[in-house]
Amino acid sequence: MSEDAQDLGITESKSHKPGEWYAEVVQKADLADYAPMGGFIVTKPRGYALWEGIQDALDGWFKETGVDNAYFPMFIPESFLEREKDIVEGFDPEVAWVTQGGHDELEERLAVRPTSESIIAPFMADWIRSHRDLPMRLNQWCSVVRWEATETKPFFRTKEFLWQEGHTAHATDGEAWEEVWTRLDQYARVLEEVLAVPVLRGKKPDHDKFPGAETTTCVEALMPDGKSVQSATSHHLGQSFAEAFDITFADEDEDEQTAFTTSWGLSWRALGAMIMTHSDDQGLVLPPTIAPTQVVIVPIWQADTKDDVLDYSEGIAADLETAGFSVELDDRDERNPGFKFNEHELNGVPLRLEIGPNEVDDEEVTLVHRPDSEQTVADRDGIVDAVDAHLDGIFEKLYDAAATNLAENVREAHSPEEILGTIGRHGGYVKTPWCGDEACETVIKDEIAAEIVMQPVDEQGGDSAGEPVRPDADATCGVCDEPADEIAYFAKSY
Ligand SMILES: [Zn+2]
């Protein structure tokens, strides 16, 4: 290996040092850098392009389902935040405050938004007059700040992070539930169909729901190191925010009614989950559905074959571009093919086409899959269809590997020792009947920092909270052995 190639390559191992490995992939694949202030990152163009891929998908689905984008200030007056005391209590230690503007002390502190319910709700209250103004569905793409004193992990743990937050108001509880499930479905879809990351869906235990919410629903993804990532949440806020902020409307009989509200958000943590799920010791691995470059063509020539190889390669690049694929023809003179292979592997380009004099003579193309180096030869004729099929195949490989990992790592356990032992040995999820008492979670949390990350719910997608999935009638809590009528998934989490 040349010195260049060593600088380029990943030196940490995913299985042995997942934390160091992840940090190295993010930096060497040019996704992000660390900012000078602890807890902040700089998102580089390659990283931002991935976020835009998520935005494009979600934003389109939001708009198809009645959501309008808007933008509210990043500063929230303290008095606004205090109108919903639950939010303040939930976020108090994590709020960053502005106390001075220019040379002057501010009369009222301004919070840097940790989330925007308390600035959006008062305006909704103003804008909503009658039942004809409902439902109102607003979304904003923005960043929020939560001053957590934890180690920085790009896209997972940063004080400022990018997300979208949706805020809606409805005339009935049922419509609010439909909203909650619609967004949760869209989050699951973006994870599964765009990022190739299978998820579990359900709700958070009551003691862990969003401050002020009636119910917090979530999608959870399992990482290869056995920890769960909360990838998005969709909250049914009941009428608590509407009451605190006077979101009322005149119904058809001109009677005043209080609205039901929801809020829902997906952050760039979903991106971190995707990077961690698929990438390997060679670097970044991306599903073709989100890769900014889906196909790279690496021509391999000698002086006497260069013109023919380049001509042939350009023709293929043009065909693929016309068909709508994003293609890069890497015809750099100063780099040899081996260097190019390594670089595109590091950057996660899903499919590589290798074209040398033999391919030109035989009117063929060699295709190499990024995730597992599987190599096939396809005819020049029909290369567009072949590339299409191979990209689909690469997506399937990634999704299937993650789905297998998820399926193999949901285990049942029926005593505290078994729960602790199973998570300690294998990681993953432990599914167990639960009495509903937070104290039983604490027993597990204190020992190995695993908690209840999700509770499965039936009849999701309807206009109600859905029925919790129940254990057998005679089931007892996996921790305290008292009668249990709920099911809990314990896991360590990010
Ligand atoms: Zn219990």
Side-chain angles (χ1 to χ4, degrees):
M1 237 197 246
S2 71
E3 220 171 283
D4 268 358
Q6 277 175 8
D7 285 348
L8 202 61
I10 303 295
T11 57
E12 300 287 1
S13 140
K14 184 177 188 178
S15 52
H16 293 116
K17 289 190 169 174
E20 288 85 344
W21 163 85
Y22 175 81
E24 209 184 355
V25 169
V26 165
Q27 280 198 290
K28 289 197 170 169
D30 272 342
L31 303 180
D33 246 327
Y34 295 90
M37 317 81 77
F40 292 80
I41 61 167
V42 174
T43 312
K44 299 176 80 172
R46 282 173 191 282
Y48 201 79
L50 298 178
W51 179 238
E52 285 178 315
I54 291 177
Q55 281 188 313
D56 287 349
L58 268 185
D59 204 60
W61 297 336
F62 289 165
K63 286 173 181 160
E64 282 166 18
T65 45
V67 178
D68 293 314
N69 283 335
Y71 188 79
F72 289 78
M74 70 186 300
F75 299 132
I76 302 177
E78 185 167 20
S79 55
F80 277 51
L81 216 53
E82 275 178 353
R83 282 177 73 179
E84 226 307 329
K85 61 181 187 334
D86 287 333
I87 305 189
V88 181
E89 271 171 27
F91 286 106
D92 208 12
E94 297 176 4
V95 174
W97 295 99
V98 178
T99 57
Q100 192 171 326
H103 296 294
D104 304 322
E105 188 96 354
L106 300 183
E107 276 177 30
E108 180 178 8
R109 299 199 292 173
L110 300 175
V112 182
R113 63 181 164 221
T115 179
S116 302
E117 275 77 3
S118 58
I119 184 100
I120 293 180
F123 285 91
M124 282 186 143
D126 227 24
W127 298 339
I128 293 167
R129 288 279 166 256
S130 95
H131 63 96
R132 283 179 294 273
D133 299 320
L134 296 175
M136 182 174 283
R137 299 185 180 93
L138 302 175
N139 175 64
Q140 67 177 355
W141 292 94
C142 63
S143 74
V144 289
V145 170
R146 296 180 191 172
W147 212 266
E148 294 174 274
T150 48
E151 200 190 335
T152 310
K153 194 179 191 81
F155 309 121
F156 278 101
R157 275 194 305 273
T158 49
K159 289 191 174 79
E160 179 186 22
F161 57 86
L162 295 180
W163 78 345
Q164 59 67 219
E165 48 177 315
H167 300 269
T168 70
H170 306 266
T172 67
D173 185 53
E175 285 173 27
W177 271 114
E178 276 179 37
E179 180 73 20
V180 165
W181 295 128
T182 297
R183 301 313 153 200
L184 198 72
D185 276 342
Q186 291 174 338
Y187 291 148
R189 245 178 98 191
V190 84
L191 266 294
E192 295 184 339
E193 295 174 19
V194 179
L195 305 179
V197 176
V199 292
L200 295 176
R201 314 174 191 204
K203 69 175 207 58
K204 290 285 168 190
D206 279 346
H207 62 260
D208 193 28
K209 63 193 182 185
F210 176 73
E214 191 178 303
T215 306
T216 290
T217 68
C218 59
V219 290
E220 294 279 327
L222 180 64
M223 296 299 99
D225 64 0
K227 290 188 191 170
S228 184
V229 175
Q230 177 183 302
S231 306
T233 48
S234 180
H235 313 288
H236 191 303
L237 302 174
Q239 292 180 305
S240 62
F241 282 76
E243 277 161 7
F245 291 97
D246 290 327
I247 306 179
T248 58
F249 63 97
D251 67 14
E252 286 173 18
D253 303 323
E254 294 298 318
D255 290 331
E256 189 179 87
Q257 305 286 349
T258 300
F260 294 81
T261 65
T262 79
S263 68
W264 26 274
L266 176 138
S267 77
W268 66 15
R269 192 173 251 239
L271 196 54
M274 177 199 69
I275 296 164
M276 196 175 280
T277 297
H278 304 306
S279 301
D280 60 22
D281 290 353
Q282 274 65 57
L284 187 64
V285 174
L286 296 173
T289 34
I290 193 145
T293 303
Q294 296 172 301
V295 183
V296 62
I297 301 176
V298 181
I300 303 162
W301 68 69
Q302 304 292 333
D304 59 334
T305 54
K306 182 175 177 182
D307 288 348
D308 287 346
V309 168
L310 272 184
D311 268 1
Y312 186 79
S313 300
E314 281 163 6
I316 290 171
D319 284 2
L320 292 174
E321 261 166 33
T322 305
F325 299 105
S326 66
V327 186
E328 179 189 337
L329 171 58
D330 188 353
D331 57 0
R332 287 176 295 175
D333 258 323
E334 71 280 12
R335 294 297 187 193
N336 64 40
F339 181 94
K340 292 177 183 177
F341 293 173
N342 287 336
E343 191 180 71
H344 297 298
E345 276 178 8
L346 175 69
N347 291 334
V349 181
L351 185 63
R352 178 171 82 228
L353 307 191
E354 298 177 9
I355 295 172
N358 292 337
E359 278 83 3
V360 177
D361 289 345
D362 300 340
E363 295 189 15
E364 289 174 344
V365 180
T366 298
L367 298 87
V368 184
H369 291 191
R370 166 63 182 89
D372 59 358
S373 302
E374 185 191 316
Q375 192 169 322
T376 41
V377 175
D379 289 337
R380 168 67 178 88
D381 266 2
I383 188 64
V384 167
D385 289 342
V387 163
D388 197 26
H390 280 271
L391 290 175
D392 284 350
I394 290 166
F395 182 92
E396 295 298 324
K397 268 181 195 173
L398 296 176
Y399 186 86
D400 290 350
T404 303
N405 181 52
L406 174 58
E408 286 173 352
N409 285 290
V410 178
R411 299 179 178 84
E412 295 192 16
H414 302 281
S415 70
E417 296 72 27
E418 232 190 321
I419 296 171
L420 293 168
T422 305
I423 295 177
R425 250 192 323 280
H426 306 286
Y429 300 102
V430 161
K431 178 184 172 186
T432 189
W434 177 46
C435 65
D437 189 345
E438 186 181 356
C440 286
E441 181 193 57
T442 309
V443 170
I444 304 299
K445 214 175 189 170
D446 287 350
E447 287 287 330
I448 54 167
E451 57 193 3
I452 299 172
V453 294
M454 193 275 294
Q455 296 191 268
V457 179
D458 256 345
E459 291 174 37
Q460 192 174 286
D463 60 358
S464 74
E467 273 300 301
V469 176
R470 304 285 182 194
D472 294 341
D474 58 349
T476 58
C477 175
V479 181
C480 68
D481 214 26
E482 294 294 316
D485 71 346
E486 297 181 39
I487 289 177
Y489 278 61
F490 280 88
K492 293 188 181 181
S493 66
Y494 274 97

